[in-house]
Amino acid sequence: MKIGIVCYPTFGGSGVVATELGKALADRGHQVHFVTYNQPARLDLFSENLFYHEVSVSNYPLFDFPPYELALASRLVDVVRHEKLDVLHVHYAIPHASAAFMAKQILLTYGIYIPVVTTLHGTDITLVGKDRTFKPVVTFSINQSDGVTAVSENLRHDTYEFFEIDTDIKVIPNFIDLTRFSLKAKDHFKKAIAPSGEKVLVHTSNFRKVKRTEDVVRIFAEVIKKIPSKLLMVGDGPERSGCEQLCRDLGVADNVRFLGKQDAIEEILSVADLFLMPSQSESFGLAALEAMACKVPVISTNAGGLPELNVDGVTGFLKDVGDVEGMGESAIYILEDEDRLNQFKENALARAKEFDLATILPLYENYYLEVIDKCKDKCKELCTGKAKIA
Ligand code: GMT
């Protein structure tokens, strides 16, 4: 197949999923075309089947708000026509699904019907989508997609709850490439982080409010009272400086390191004993899955789709949002007994294996084929008489 992928080319979960999916599809022999404003962060490999088309928006002084969506729609028209794509897969509803709809309409005038698959990732529905400003566009563009997937049952449920959706939504969970995440811990790195054999706790995120990063620090402040430990804070974003201040206020700053954005997250996770994810909402929790793939148990909230990944009392623990004390107690319970910790580690890896790329990739491939098949007569129906340019 020839597949076009649109995503946010950043370190955000949706961009990571889209990029890893594209790379895996290319490995399977599909031709994959990324259409984004920057080369996706993890698109670092050369493959004869991978292509990248940049969307550039002119910043003419008249434009207080450069029209990215229009530039994207135009680029999509171009790429679909000239690369003869079979399907467009857009990740994140805003503005990708609406830009894809616009491109689809324009392509009809060229006698082309391009099937569009939209994947909902979470904040496009739970935060942005609920903003009334975007509601009509999000509703419309989901309903106009030829296929829609969500990364968890919970997100599927929320989408039906918040929007008037009259189309089927298929759940295809996030996945993990276990070969990349099964690294052996580097002794020198572990020594540098925890020189006296302290336990290592890790949090990774984009430090937005929804991640409740201050709760991470507060949980750690509870843990360190009982267990000699270190905290690694990976990523960057608006909440970071507040967290740094909180570390000083709580007197734990010497045991916390802010590492900023990191590419080789698997190397950091390979020395970790526990992962903290106290999010306000989380449609799936890809960062937690990455931790589990590195044999790291997870203390999380029970928000959103997290219970579909983290199994309470088996791969970690789940507590109510804001229950810092409960999360601290659970963390201590896991860390205070070496045998128990090892059992949780084994369980975390076993659970991560259920989301192996090899299992999830065919779900996307089969879904593309299903959607393409469903659309095959639409061109005859909609393009006839409209094609200006064959
Ligand atoms: O978590 C974020 O803030 C980034 C966001 C994104 O769209 O890039 O992540 C969302 O998509 C990920 C991949 O599907 C999910 O694993 C995350 O749970 C989800 N984040 C939220 O729902 C807050």
Side-chain angles (χ1 to χ4, degrees):
M1 269 178 282
K2 289 186 173 186
I3 303 152
I5 292 187
V6 180
C7 65
Y8 283 108
T10 55
F11 282 88
S14 61
V16 170
V17 169
T19 310
E20 296 297 341
L21 176 63
K23 283 170 19 181
L25 288 164
D27 280 349
R28 295 262 290 189
H30 302 289
Q31 204 181 86
V32 179
H33 294 259
F34 283 90
V35 186
T36 63
Y37 57 81
N38 259 333
Q39 178 133 340
R42 288 199 187 175
L43 193 62
D44 47 1
L45 291 179
F46 176 76
S47 154
E48 58 182 342
N49 290 329
L50 279 177
F51 299 82
Y52 166 59
H53 308 266
E54 187 173 305
V55 181
S56 53
V57 192
S58 113
N59 57 358
Y60 184 63
L62 183 70
F63 299 149
D64 274 347
F65 303 100
Y68 174 67
E69 191 173 348
L70 300 184
L72 174 61
S74 294
R75 197 78 174 107
L76 287 175
V77 169
D78 212 48
V79 175
V80 170
R81 280 183 68 207
H82 297 297
E83 303 293 347
K84 306 203 174 348
L85 300 189
D86 297 306
V87 62
L88 260 187
H89 187 178
V90 301
H91 293 258
Y92 212 87
I94 297 174
H96 300 151
S98 43
F101 172 74
M102 195 186 301
K104 185 158 85 172
Q105 295 305 110
I106 297 168
L107 283 160
L108 286 177
T109 69
Y110 291 94
I112 296 166
Y113 187 96
I114 184 74
V116 172
V117 172
T118 297
T119 288
L120 308 172
H121 280 275
T123 42
D124 45 354
I125 297 303
T126 53
L127 296 181
V128 189
K130 269 196 279 183
D131 180 341
R132 295 200 70 79
T133 330
F134 297 110
K135 198 169 176 183
V137 175
V138 173
T139 310
F140 180 79
S141 42
I142 292 175
N143 282 331
Q144 290 296 320
S145 299
D146 300 289
V148 183
T149 75
V151 298
S152 64
E153 288 292 346
N154 179 266
L155 183 61
R156 178 178 188 272
H157 173 271
D158 281 356
T159 309
Y160 282 123
E161 184 116 327
F162 301 148
F163 302 93
E164 288 87 52
I165 300 301
D166 56 21
T167 188
D168 286 342
I169 300 177
K170 183 177 175 68
V171 174
I172 303 185
N174 285 174
F175 54 85
I176 193 86
D177 178 358
L178 281 160
T179 52
R180 175 180 163 196
F181 282 83
S182 45
L183 275 189
K184 213 180 127 13
K186 289 190 175 148
D187 284 345
H188 67 279
F189 183 45
K190 178 113 191 174
K191 276 217 165 67
I193 299 295
S196 307
E198 295 93 337
K199 293 289 182 255
V200 178
L201 287 77
V202 173
H203 169 79
T204 69
S205 77
N206 49 21
F207 285 67
R208 284 189 286 148
K209 272 221 164 335
V210 68
K211 302 293 176 182
R212 294 185 69 100
T213 43
E214 291 199 352
D215 283 3
V216 175
V217 176
R218 291 184 198 282
I219 295 164
F220 179 67
E222 292 301 311
V223 173
I224 200 170
K225 284 180 196 160
K226 299 266 172 62
I227 312 262
S229 45
K230 300 282 181 186
L231 172 64
L232 299 179
M233 298 286 270
V234 185
D236 214 331
E239 298 293 300
R240 174 173 167 175
S241 59
C243 278
E244 286 177 312
Q245 183 56 45
L246 186 63
C247 289
R248 292 189 280 271
D249 294 347
L250 296 177
V252 297
D254 288 347
N255 294 300
V256 182
R257 280 180 72 166
F258 287 82
L259 298 178
K261 290 180 183 164
Q262 295 285 335
D263 273 338
I265 188 65
E266 63 277 19
E267 290 196 7
I268 297 168
L269 290 168
S270 72
V271 301
D273 296 293
L274 200 61
F275 188 81
L276 303 178
M277 183 174 257
S279 303
Q280 176 81 36
S281 104
E282 201 69 61
S283 66
F284 180 88
L286 179 63
L289 174 58
E290 291 182 340
M292 289 159 74
C294 292
K295 277 184 124 169
V296 184
V298 174
I299 301 291
S300 72
T301 55
N302 49 19
L306 283 169
E308 294 171 48
L309 170 67
N310 192 14
V311 185
D312 198 36
V314 177
T315 59
F317 285 97
L318 297 109
K319 298 285 168 192
D320 290 341
V321 174
D323 182 6
V324 168
E325 203 184 308
M327 287 187 258
E329 280 166 10
S330 300
I332 294 165
Y333 174 79
I334 294 179
L335 293 173
E336 68 188 356
D337 182 304
E338 209 58 38
D339 288 342
R340 189 182 297 148
L341 173 60
N342 285 333
Q343 186 58 58
F344 271 89
K345 286 185 173 187
E346 293 299 334
N347 296 349
L349 177 60
R351 178 75 177 139
K353 285 182 178 165
E354 293 175 36
F355 298 90
D356 188 14
L357 173 66
T359 311
I360 306 298
L361 187 67
L363 302 182
Y364 276 114
E365 285 176 301
N366 291 337
Y367 192 58
Y368 294 153
L369 291 172
E370 196 184 302
V371 169
I372 291 169
D373 189 55
K374 187 179 89 181
C375 292
K376 73 176 186 302
D377 292 329
K378 289 211 177 166
C379 195
K380 273 185 231 148
E381 193 187 304
L382 293 166
C383 300
T384 322
K386 278 197 178 169
K388 290 180 188 148
I389 305 166

